[in-house]
Structures are given as structure tokens and as C-alpha cells.
Amino acid sequence: MKLQRKNRLRALSLGAVAVSGALALTACGSDDNGNNNSGGKSTASASAGSIKCDNAKGQLLADGSSAQKNAIDAWVKAFSQACGVQINYKGGGSGAGVTAFTQGQVAFAGSDSALKPEEVTASKQVCKGGQGIDLPMVGGPIAIGFNVPGVDNLVLDAPTLAKIFDSKITNWNDPAIKALNKDAKLPNLKIQPFHRSDESGTTDNFTKYLIATTPDNWKYSGGKAWQAKGGQSAPQSAGVAQQVKQTSGAIGYFELSYVGDGVKAVSIDTGASKPVAPSTDSATADIAAAKVVGTGKDLSLKLDYKTKAEGAYPITLVTYEIVCDKGNKADTLPATKAFLRYIASEDGQKVLSGIDYAPVPEEIIAKVRTTIEGLS
């Protein structure tokens, strides 16, 4: 994303409606409250007439994936202007969002990983007569951002990435990196790898890619918590991106909207004829091959991390909005459904490509729309 666009998004967020600390509306039968802050960011807008408010009112609490924070802010801006509903999305990370949801503290949560069986079981305590379900809503590439003086274009493959993030390759002029970048002037500079300090679905998806593609070089079990040794950490996508930006020799992972302003993105050698750079189009090419593996109303997906398709970027994630299929609190249900209905709509999904996210393929988002209408 260009710096100008980022600054415009941040400026919009400062104009969002302030939310008081006494937020009363939560989800799935809970009366717990929270004190989160949210802003609106948008480079695309929807007319009030295109958003169906359907008796939505009051305030909603939400938390979770920081990878989708810029998308949520853009959506909240348009929805709040149309319907007058205040939505406070903290963006504290996927792990925090799932915990808040299963504890009944939020109306919905965002997660870059689908609910685990034990999390579904926990959700039944707050979704009276139902359970938490995964609704894929935001797609996008996990960019590998780097800051290496004198290097504008960098190609890496899965084994090399695994060794870098596992502290097995420690210098930018390492022969393995040189072999992939014959024309680059790689400096004799220490590699500074950064990972997430909080539990993150971005970490989960990035390490799933390494596990799937180079298991001999990445022998960790994976999950939301970072497991490899060495490196440095920072909270949330914004924190990792900021560290990469200000640290010479740094490399880290975050969604594409954080690339720019001193941070460049790695192209991945997948085995296709050309290395693939992260973009909304290359991510969509990969997500389009995803399979729905959830049961019942759950629409969790299985992504193809090992793709060698031309133009398909392999390190992608899908962010799910997690909500009760049944048992949502009566006071929050109208606003929750109206907001989810909008972001899954054609207008809502159109917002994504303008801010470096990938819309969910039509075949999948059509199922999401149907499921939203049945929430109770």
C-alpha cells in the first residue's frame, strides 16, 4: 500500500465516533463489558441506501485478527455512517479474539485460523443452543516484508525462509540467498527476523505454509504461538511492520496492507515459471482453490499452501468472522447480522481490493450470505 493511502486511512480513523467505556452490548448471552477502541479507515465508500440497517442500533464489541483491522475500519466507517451503530473492534490478535468470544465478551470475533474443536466446545457455553461458526470474510496474502539497504527486489523460497526464521541462515549474503538473487547486491549484513509476540492466526498460517512446503527445515508443530528459536518479536501486524521499517536488515511477516513506506515485499519461488509477488490478484488465485471443510453452518476452508500454479501466491490467509449460529444475545443480534450482511455483500467485498485485501471468491461468499441470514 502506498504511503499516501496509509496516511489517508489513518486520518479517517481519527474521525471515527468515540466509544464510551460503558459498552453494554455483548454476544451470545453474556453481559460482560469491555473497553476497546476502534476507528474507521476507508478508501471506498458505500451509499447509505446500499446498506440495510434492519433495526440495528446501539454498540457492538468485537476483537481479534489484526490482519483484517484495516478492512474492519473501512467497513465500520461506512456502516456506522449509514446505521448509527458504534462498532468497537480492538484488533488485539486472533488469539485474543477467540478467547474474548468463548468468554462471551464480544458480539463477534475475527480470526485468521478456524476454531479448534475445543474452542467450538467452549463456545457452546455462551451460544445458548448453538455454537461458534467460522465465516470467511477477508482474504489476502501474508507478505514477507524486508528492509535491506540497496536491495529492492528479493526472491526467497520455502526452505530459505524456514532457515531464516529458524536462525539457521543469519546473513543477507548467505549463498542460499545469493543463489535465488543472482543480480542483487546482497550486503554483508546480519538478518534481523521479527515474529509476532501475541497469539496470531497470521503466525499460524505462515507456519502452516512452512510445514506444508519444507517439513525437513521446519520441524515445529505450528499454531498461533511462535515456536522457533531466536529472532525478535513485536505485537500485532502493525508492531512487526514497524520493527521491520526501522531496523536495517530486518524481515518479518504481515498482511500486504503494511507493505510500503520503507518496507518491501519478498517474491516467492513456488516452482512456477516465475516467482510470485504478493498481491490481491495472486492471493485470490490461491484462495479460489480453497475447499470448504467445515460442517453444518461452519464454512472453514482448507488452503493450498503447496500450490505451483502460475501467478498464485502461496502464503495466504482467510480471516473468519466468528459468531454464534444460534443463541446470540437479542440486543446485539440485529446489529451483528446487519454488519455481517453488509461486509459480505457485493459492495462490502468491493471495498477490499482498494485497500490491498482479496475479496472472498463468489462461490464461497454466497454461502456466507446465506448463513448470515439464518443467524438467530
Side-chain angles (χ1 to χ4, degrees), residues 9-261:
L9 292 175
R10 293 191 181 106
L12 284 168
S13 72
L14 296 176
V17 179
V19 181
S20 75
L23 295 173
L25 299 184
T26 55
C28 306
S30 169
D31 292 318
D32 291 345
N33 298 325
N35 293 295
N36 301 334
N37 296 315
S38 177
K41 300 181 180 181
S42 178
T43 56
S45 61
S47 66
S50 69
I51 298 175
K52 298 179 181 179
C53 300
D54 287 351
N55 299 316
K57 59 184 178 180
Q59 302 162 337
L60 289 179
L61 294 179
D63 195 2
S65 166
S66 65
Q68 71 165 355
K69 183 66 164 61
N70 289 343
I72 288 286
D73 286 350
W75 284 328
V76 166
K77 179 74 172 179
F79 184 78
S80 295
Q81 287 179 343
C83 300
V85 175
Q86 296 175 356
I87 300 177
N88 183 341
Y89 183 81
K90 184 177 179 182
S94 297
V98 171
T99 297
F101 180 78
T102 57
Q103 292 179 351
Q105 297 172 355
V106 293
F108 67 91
S111 177
D112 307 319
S113 299
L115 290 169
K116 296 178 181 178
E118 61 269 24
E119 293 168 341
V120 173
T121 298
S123 74
K124 294 179 181 179
Q125 300 300 311
V126 290
C127 300
K128 304 304 181 184
Q131 66 180 49
I133 57 172
D134 302 287
L135 301 178
M137 203 71 74
V138 182
I142 300 174
I144 309 300
F146 69 96
N147 176 3
V148 181
V151 179
D152 293 327
N153 299 299
L154 184 69
V155 175
L156 296 174
D157 58 14
T160 308
L161 275 171
K163 292 173 184 176
I164 287 172
F165 280 93
D166 199 22
S167 301
K168 302 288 179 59
I169 291 178
T170 59
N171 221 61
W172 280 110
N173 64 354
D174 187 275
I177 302 177
K178 283 185 174 181
L180 293 164
N181 298 274
K182 295 186 180 353
D183 296 328
K185 295 182 179 179
L186 295 165
N188 181 13
L189 178 66
K190 182 180 178 182
I191 298 174
Q192 305 278 1
F194 283 89
H195 57 265
R196 290 281 290 271
S197 60
D198 54 322
E199 289 200 354
S200 162
T202 310
T203 294
D204 190 17
N205 282 276
F206 176 48
T207 55
K208 280 179 178 175
Y209 162 75
L210 297 176
I211 292 167
T213 54
T214 185
D216 290 344
N217 294 300
W218 195 261
K219 298 183 180 297
Y220 303 98
S221 61
K224 293 187 180 76
W226 185 258
Q227 297 172 324
K229 307 301 181 184
Q232 302 175 67
S233 65
Q236 303 167 15
S237 292
V240 174
Q242 181 62 28
Q243 290 299 319
V244 172
K245 174 185 174 181
Q246 67 188 24
T247 305
S248 179
I251 188 169
Y253 57 91
F254 31 77
E255 79 274 16
L256 184 61
S257 63
Y258 287 96
V259 171
D261 190 18

